[in-house]
Amino acid sequence: MLVNTASPLRVQELASGAQGLRKNGKQWHPAKAAFRLKVGQASYAKRTEGRKALAAMKAKEKEMKDEKESERQRRIQAIKDKRAAKEERERYEKLAEKMHRKRVERLKRREKRNKLLKS
């Protein structure tokens, strides 16, 4: 009569779904599960919810970028306006100086004429 000599511990391992010894002898490595793709496992509602969240995030990012760009453009425009005003002011000063010089020259000529007439 044949008696089963397997230890009760070994029988319990086999019953709990544990595998036998590895063929390559590397029993210290953890057992790996079968490779199964996770793609397509989420429900349609969950996917649409994720897409909505992503779209909302992108919209917020775009809004923030636009706000930052508008602030940058505002600063640039302020600098340009200042430069234009300064240029205009300098032009008017130059013009006023030129006009003043012309007036002074005209008065000098008139004085010379008067001097010549009086002498």
Side-chain angles (χ1 to χ4, degrees), residues 60-73:
K60 183 70 174 171
E61 282 179 358
K62 187 177 185 325
E63 179 186 333
M64 290 168 72
K65 281 182 184 176
D66 290 345
E67 187 177 315
K68 191 174 181 181
E69 181 63 22
S70 67
E71 177 65 25
R72 183 177 156 273
Q73 290 298 330

Side-chain angles (χ1 to χ4, degrees), residues 71-83:
E71 177 65 25
R72 183 177 156 273
Q73 290 298 330
R74 188 190 62 76
R75 282 197 312 267
I76 289 170
Q77 191 59 42
I79 291 169
K80 284 181 180 177
D81 291 345
K82 262 189 206 174
R83 284 181 185 161

Side-chain angles (χ1 to χ4, degrees), residues 95-109:
L95 196 63
E97 179 185 309
K98 193 176 188 181
M99 295 302 256
H100 180 69
R101 190 171 59 230
K102 283 183 176 180
R103 185 165 184 249
V104 168
E105 286 174 6
R106 193 169 58 241
L107 288 174
K108 279 184 184 176
R109 281 196 306 268

Side-chain angles (χ1 to χ4, degrees), residues 6-105:
S7 67
L9 185 61
R10 183 84 176 134
V11 171
Q12 191 178 17
E13 280 182 18
L14 291 173
S16 67
Q19 300 292 320
L21 293 176
R22 286 173 171 243
K23 190 160 188 136
N24 63 8
K26 297 181 181 179
Q27 286 82 10
W28 61 86
H29 285 294
K32 294 182 180 176
F35 177 72
R36 289 192 175 48
L37 291 174
K38 301 283 192 252
V39 177
Q41 298 294 323
S43 68
Y44 176 75
K46 194 169 186 178
R47 286 194 309 262
T48 54
E49 183 181 318
R51 287 182 189 138
K52 281 182 188 174
L54 188 66
M57 184 185 68
K58 284 192 181 270
K60 183 70 174 171
E61 282 179 358
K62 187 177 185 325
E63 179 186 333
M64 290 168 72
K65 281 182 184 176
D66 290 345
E67 187 177 315
K68 191 174 181 181
E69 181 63 22
S70 67
E71 177 65 25
R72 183 177 156 273
Q73 290 298 330
R74 188 190 62 76
R75 282 197 312 267
I76 289 170
Q77 191 59 42
I79 291 169
K80 284 181 180 177
D81 291 345
K82 262 189 206 174
R83 284 181 185 161
K86 184 179 178 184
E87 237 175 70
E88 190 72 13
R89 191 171 52 246
E90 286 175 356
R91 191 175 72 82
Y92 275 126
E93 284 175 5
K94 203 171 192 179
L95 196 63
E97 179 185 309
K98 193 176 188 181
M99 295 302 256
H100 180 69
R101 190 171 59 230
K102 283 183 176 180
R103 185 165 184 249
V104 168
E105 286 174 6

